[in-house]
């Protein structure tokens, strides 16, 4: 049961699951597993970027200034060895083009053409980016390759969470949607294992293998999406025959009892017809809660510091004195821990609810991040390294932190936004969610190493402060949505102690535009 302010029963009828809610059919399971490979694309990139950026041959070829500083020993601060705006541009270029794609193109394609075409477009762009990255002969070609990867990521992050939330039965939606984050962890694990092996290739081309193999999950998504069915919600939105859509919904749910769900989808679409989703979410008071969540949840996720650790875990571990191979191996262990905790979240989210996991995970991340900062501030100066004992403690704390993120903000930052938007603003809302995440990802990717150089260990207290803010935000302002049909979730805002005052006379409905 969720803790804290979950809202009263005022302001309208409480949303209830449909009778039976459908079961997990082989059809829907296979469809969702295939779609979730979009998360593996994202995870592989996060794992690859940090690992490749710590490899000597890659740095020597494309970032010689960083390589010289890294080898300079005591003459360069531990915290500043990897400080290079060009190196961080290599990482963040993907998210810059991802942001532009999500805002300018992916939202339109997902709403007007469907979720499935967006996944196909994303997979094709990602395959092209992997090919260019693996064959790069200079730093600009390497950055171009990552820019193409960003186009693919913009489409995949827009379409896949919506696809999962619309296909899954209401009572299992949390588990299915969290599969996106779980596949992200699997992609990151695949990347770190590849990095570990590639680093040992003495000829110096191992980094090419790491970058090029990003095409593997992209091919799985592209080929798989060709054979996926479109979601019933999207088909109704595209004007397809309702009898055909109802037959598909019955196949997806594994039951003939889909009348109420079909009616909700049709009614919502009818009321939204001809409306501009982006205009609605930006101008109508009834959508203020969804707009706030679309902006703040992905932004808060980046401010936990997870992408700083995800992108640069090998770099951080080398900062505290580990060798290249040892830092990559330690990263593998951390990703395995994170994957296991995300799997736990898949099992727990529909039982304990979104709020409970976010609050518990937030407290766990806060404690571990404060301890990480305290140890680095006390024991790691500008020169030398940590003792073996403190290095081990630090790795354990990073693991505790990654576990807390893995069963809370990691998967739920995708789940919660994807399930709270009514159909009329769903694609536009997801576009804002993806764009907000990309903006803060770009900020972290581009400036983390410079912040690490200037703030040193205090950067971990900076992230810890934001964890306090976001945990309070969840406690006060996020209502529980577990088990509710996706077309009825908008009613919870009219029953919440704060949001019902914001939406005023529009309480409990999004069907009157």
């Amino acid at each position: 049961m969720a803790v804290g302010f979950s809202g009263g029963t005022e302001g309208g009828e409480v949303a209830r699951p449909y009778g039976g809610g459908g079961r997990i059919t082989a059809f829907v399971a296979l469809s969702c597993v295939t779609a979730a490979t979009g998360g593996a694309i994202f995870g592989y990139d996060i794992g690859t970027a940090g690992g490749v950026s710590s490899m000597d041959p890659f740095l020597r070829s494309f970032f010689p200034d960083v390589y010289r500083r890294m080898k300079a020993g005591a003459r360069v601060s531990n915290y500043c060895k990897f400080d290079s705006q060009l190196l961080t541009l290599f990482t963040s270029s993907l998210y810059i083009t991802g942001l532009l794609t999500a805002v300018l193109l992916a939202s339109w394609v997902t709403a007007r053409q469907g979720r499935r075409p967006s996944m196909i477009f994303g997979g094709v762009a990602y395959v092209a980016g992997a090919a260019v990255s693996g064959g790069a002969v200079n730093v600009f070609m390497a950055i171009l390759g990552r820019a193409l990867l960003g186009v693919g990521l913009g489409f995949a992050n827009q379409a896949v969470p919506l696809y999962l939330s619309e296909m899954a039965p209401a009572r299992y939606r949390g588990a299915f949607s969290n599969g996106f984050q779980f596949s992200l962890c699997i992609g990151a694990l695949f990347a770190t294992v590849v990095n570990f092996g590639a680093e040992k290739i003495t000829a110096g081309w191992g980094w090419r293998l790491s970058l090029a193999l990003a095409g593997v999950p992209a091919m799985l998504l592209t080929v798989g999406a060709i054979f996926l069915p479109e979601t019933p919600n999207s088909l109704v939105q595209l004007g397809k025959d309702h009898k055909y859509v109802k037959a598909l919904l019955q196949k997806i749910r594994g039951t003939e009892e889909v009348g109420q769900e079909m009616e909700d989808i049709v009614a919502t679409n009818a009321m939204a017809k001809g409306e501009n989703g982006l205009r609605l979410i930006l101008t109508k008071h009834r959508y203020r809660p969804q707009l706030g969540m679309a902006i703040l949840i992905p932004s808060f996720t980046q401010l936990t510091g997870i992408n700083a650790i995800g992108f640069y875990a090998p770099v951080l571990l080398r900062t505290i004195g580990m060798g290249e191979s040892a830092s990559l191996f330690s990263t593998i262990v951390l990703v395995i821990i994170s994957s296991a905790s995300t799997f736990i979240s898949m099992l727990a989210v529909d039982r304990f609810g979104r709020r409970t996991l976010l609050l518990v995970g937030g407290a766990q991340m806060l404690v571990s991040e404060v301890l990480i900062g305290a140890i680095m501030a006390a024991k790691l100066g500008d020169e030398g390294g940590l003792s073996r004992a403190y290095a081990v403690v630090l790795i354990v704390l990073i693991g505790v932190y990654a576990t807390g993120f893995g069963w809370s903000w990691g998967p739920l930052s995708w789940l919660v936004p994807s399930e709270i938007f009514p159909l009329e603003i769903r694609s536009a809302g997801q576009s804002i969610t993806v764009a907000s995440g990309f903006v803060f990802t770009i900020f972290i990717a581009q400036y983390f190493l410079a912040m690490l150089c200037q703030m040193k260990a205090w950067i971990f207290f900076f992230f810890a402060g934001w964890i306090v803010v976001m945990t309070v935000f969840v406690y006060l302002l996020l209502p529980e949505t577990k088990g509710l049909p996706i077309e009825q979730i908008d009613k919870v805002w009219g029953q919440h102690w704060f949001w019902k005052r914001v939406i005023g006379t529009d309480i409990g409905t999004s069907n009157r535009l």
Side-chain angles (χ1 to χ4, degrees):
M1 185 173 180
V3 183
F5 296 95
S6 58
T9 57
E10 307 167 55
E13 178 188 356
V14 178
R16 299 291 183 193
Y18 303 120
R23 60 187 176 86
I24 300 177
T25 61
F27 183 74
V28 74
L30 183 60
S31 298
C32 289
V33 167
T34 302
T37 57
I41 293 175
F42 198 1
Y44 189 89
D45 167 74
I46 293 174
T48 300
V52 166
S53 297
S54 73
M55 291 183 186
D56 287 353
F58 178 78
L59 293 174
R60 196 164 50 238
S61 298
F62 296 124
F63 304 98
D65 290 343
V66 175
Y67 179 74
R68 283 193 293 270
R69 282 203 304 272
M70 189 178 69
K71 298 300 182 183
R75 289 170 291 178
V76 180
S77 168
N78 279 321
Y79 294 98
C80 300
K81 290 178 180 179
F82 291 88
D83 182 19
S84 164
Q85 287 301 296
L86 188 60
L87 176 60
T88 49
L89 180 61
F90 167 76
T91 299
S92 63
S93 57
L94 179 146
Y95 302 98
I96 294 171
T97 55
L99 169 64
L100 295 175
T101 300
V103 171
L104 301 178
L105 190 58
S107 176
W108 183 88
V109 172
T110 304
R112 302 297 177 85
Q113 303 299 319
R115 287 47 165 154
R116 186 171 149 269
S118 282
M119 289 189 279
I120 295 173
F121 292 155
V124 170
Y126 212 91
V127 170
V132 173
S133 297
V137 295
N138 55 51
V139 67
F140 301 106
M141 189 173 174
I143 291 174
L144 173 62
R146 287 188 63 76
L148 287 172
L149 296 176
V151 174
L153 200 60
F155 276 108
N157 283 9
Q158 170 74 17
V160 172
L162 292 184
Y163 188 92
L164 295 172
S165 65
E166 290 177 347
M167 288 290 283
R171 59 181 172 176
Y172 302 116
R173 189 176 57 249
F176 274 88
S177 294
N178 281 6
F180 183 80
Q181 177 70 17
F182 183 67
S183 69
L184 188 153
C185 292
I186 296 301
L189 177 60
F190 178 41
T192 51
V193 171
V194 169
N195 286 340
F196 182 69
E199 179 267 332
K200 298 183 180 303
I201 298 175
T202 56
W205 51 266
W207 61 270
R208 293 188 183 277
L209 181 66
S210 291
L211 295 176
L213 284 178
V216 173
M219 284 297 298
L220 291 174
L221 176 65
T222 306
V223 175
I226 292 172
F227 299 99
L228 288 180
E230 188 56 87
T231 70
N233 312 65
S234 183
L235 289 173
V236 170
Q237 195 173 25
L238 296 172
K240 301 301 182 183
D241 181 74
H242 289 180
K243 291 182 179 178
Y244 168 77
V245 178
K246 184 175 182 180
L248 176 63
L249 188 58
Q250 289 171 336
K251 186 176 181 181
I252 290 170
R253 298 289 178 251
T255 177
E256 299 292 315
E257 304 298 323
V258 298
Q260 183 61 54
E261 183 174 3
M262 186 68 192
E263 287 177 17
D264 280 353
I265 295 172
V266 171
T268 302
N269 181 69
M271 294 298 172
K273 224 164 185 57
E275 294 286 351
N276 182 292
L278 186 60
R279 183 187 66 80
L280 287 175
I281 195 172
L282 292 178
T283 61
K284 298 294 184 180
H285 280 283
R286 67 176 63 94
Y287 301 119
R288 286 291 183 268
Q290 291 94 333
L291 179 61
M293 298 298 162
I295 294 172
L296 291 175
I297 287 179
S299 303
F300 281 149
T301 303
Q302 303 311 315
L303 290 170
T304 62
I306 187 61
N307 273 353
I309 290 177
F311 291 146
Y312 302 114
V315 171
L316 282 172
L317 294 173
R318 294 197 74 178
T319 293
I320 65 175
M322 281 193 169
E324 182 179 356
S325 182
S327 68
L328 290 172
F329 179 76
S330 298
T331 304
I332 292 174
V333 175
L334 292 175
V335 174
I336 291 174
I337 292 171
S338 181
S339 301
S341 62
T342 301
F343 183 73
I344 292 172
S345 178
M346 292 175 64
L347 302 177
V349 66
D350 289 313
R351 179 175 181 181
F352 297 104
R354 285 69 163 142
R355 284 167 45 83
T356 299
L357 295 187
L358 287 169
L359 293 171
V360 173
Q364 182 174 336
M365 287 190 294
L366 174 63
V367 172
S368 54
E369 197 136 33
V370 168
L371 292 175
I372 290 170
I375 290 174
M376 292 187 71
K379 300 297 179 180
L380 181 67
D382 281 345
E383 301 177 5
L386 287 174
S387 68
R388 183 179 182 85
Y390 278 112
V392 169
V393 170
L394 204 58
I395 292 171
V396 170
L397 287 173
I398 292 175
V400 172
Y401 167 84
T403 302
F405 182 85
W407 61 42
S408 61
W409 282 89
L412 298 183
S413 64
W414 296 104
L415 166 60
V416 173
S418 72
E419 69 181 1
I420 63 173
F421 303 119
L423 184 60
E424 66 269 17
I425 62 166
R426 192 164 294 156
S427 184
Q430 183 66 14
S431 178
I432 293 172
T433 299
V434 173
S436 300
F438 277 146
V439 166
F440 277 83
T441 302
I442 291 166
F443 173 81
I444 296 297
Q446 189 64 33
Y447 295 109
F448 171 72
L449 293 178
M451 291 170 66
L452 180 65
C453 180
Q454 296 299 318
M455 298 175 68
K456 298 181 170 55
W458 288 97
I459 193 170
F460 294 98
F461 296 105
F462 168 81
F463 289 129
W466 280 108
I467 292 174
V468 172
V469 172
M470 57 202 276
T471 303
V472 172
F473 169 83
V474 169
Y475 184 76
L476 294 177
L477 298 177
L478 181 67
E480 185 55 71
T481 54
K482 71 170 183 175
L484 300 178
I486 194 169
E487 302 302 344
Q488 294 185 22
I489 284 180
D490 60 311
K491 294 180 180 179
V492 302
W493 309 109
Q495 300 151 15
H496 187 272
W497 71 276
F498 173 78
W499 291 117
K500 67 181 180 182
R501 304 174 189 177
V502 174
I503 60 180
T505 57
D506 293 329
I507 285 177
T509 182
S510 64
N511 292 331
R512 296 189 302 274
L513 301 176

